[in-house]
Amino acid sequence: MPPLPQHAQLPPLPRPAALLCDMDGTLVDTEHAWLDTVAGFLRAQGSPADPGTLAPFAGAALADAADRLVRDGRTALSPAQAAARLDREFTARVAAGVTVQPGALRLLDRARALGVPTALVTASERHVADLVLDTLGRHRFDASVASGETERGKPHPDPYLAAAAALGVAAPDCLAVEDTPTGAAAALAAGCRLLAVPSVPGIEPGPRTVLVTSLTEADLADAAR
């Protein structure tokens, strides 16, 4: 089933025990800034930066991206050096200002109005997450989980399991919101239902997955499950 047309409106989604939201590309338009950062790094290292090369980096944590760059022979730098360079450039881009995705604040405020606790679940570093939390409004979130704060990051389920535990709910009762295959895999592995708003190809609809082209299409139902 293809995604709904841009202006379609879903019936309200069943009210979850908690809303667990990815950050980059989902709530704020930073996924492209991240991929631009990786592309700039690759070009500086004399490596191609075509869409196929960049695809595995969508939704990837900083350390995982640096490890992949070294493992794939795309840089002579060490993983730590590559990570530091990526971090410096990406943080500067985020600090310069981010655009909130259409419908993101409405969805967060809707959850707040319904008494649905909300967590930010991001593969970005804590200092980047804090910059974005200040932009989105910290009052909209009850918890946050950033890169390095669980034993494993996305695509493993650990960040989503940690967020659900922080809110005192079971992951299968939660609705995760993601934009990349990496994040979607993490949410589904944790047992969450998934609202996907893809920024890159690769997320497939399924029994626990609803695809939309914009968060403006999504709403939460008043009635509890």
Side-chain angles (χ1 to χ4, degrees):
M1 182 182 71
L4 295 174
Q6 180 69 34
H7 299 295
Q9 185 74 30
L10 283 174
L13 297 165
R15 178 174 160 185
L19 187 66
L20 311 180
C21 295
D22 173 57
M23 185 179 82
D24 298 306
T26 300
L27 297 181
V28 290
D29 188 15
T30 49
E31 190 62 40
H32 290 101
W34 164 245
L35 292 177
D36 286 347
T37 298
V38 176
F41 179 94
L42 287 167
R43 286 191 290 267
Q45 300 297 307
S47 185
D50 56 275
T53 301
L54 291 174
F57 295 96
L62 182 70
D64 293 338
D67 286 344
R68 176 181 286 274
L69 288 165
V70 174
R71 186 174 66 250
D72 291 352
R74 299 191 182 278
T75 179
L77 298 176
S78 68
Q81 290 170 325
R85 191 167 298 185
L86 290 169
D87 186 28
R88 184 167 59 249
E89 174 63 22
F90 181 58
T91 301
R93 288 174 182 264
V94 174
V98 297
T99 300
V100 179
Q101 296 283 44
L105 295 184
R106 184 179 67 85
L107 181 63
L108 293 171
D109 289 342
R110 174 66 165 164
R112 210 76 180 154
L114 294 174
V116 175
T118 301
L120 189 74
V121 187
T122 178
S124 284
E125 304 297 302
R126 169 52 63 183
H127 58 274
V128 175
D130 284 341
L131 287 171
V132 175
L133 281 168
D134 289 338
T135 297
L136 294 172
R138 290 177 180 269
H139 66 282
R140 292 186 167 97
F141 299 90
D142 301 284
S144 62
V145 178
S147 178
E149 295 176 354
T150 55
E151 183 176 353
R152 302 175 300 176
K154 301 176 186 180
H156 300 288
D158 305 33
Y160 278 102
L161 294 173
L167 297 177
V169 296
D173 295 331
C174 297
L175 178 66
V177 190
E178 275 283 358
D179 72 306
T180 67
T182 299
L188 292 172
C192 300
R193 289 177 290 133
L194 177 64
L195 174 65
V197 52
S199 60
V200 293
I203 302 177
E204 299 295 333
R208 289 187 288 132
T209 302
V210 173
L211 268 66
V212 295
T213 57
S214 167
L215 291 180
T216 59
E217 299 169 19
D219 194 8
L220 300 178
D222 283 305
R225 293 183 62 194

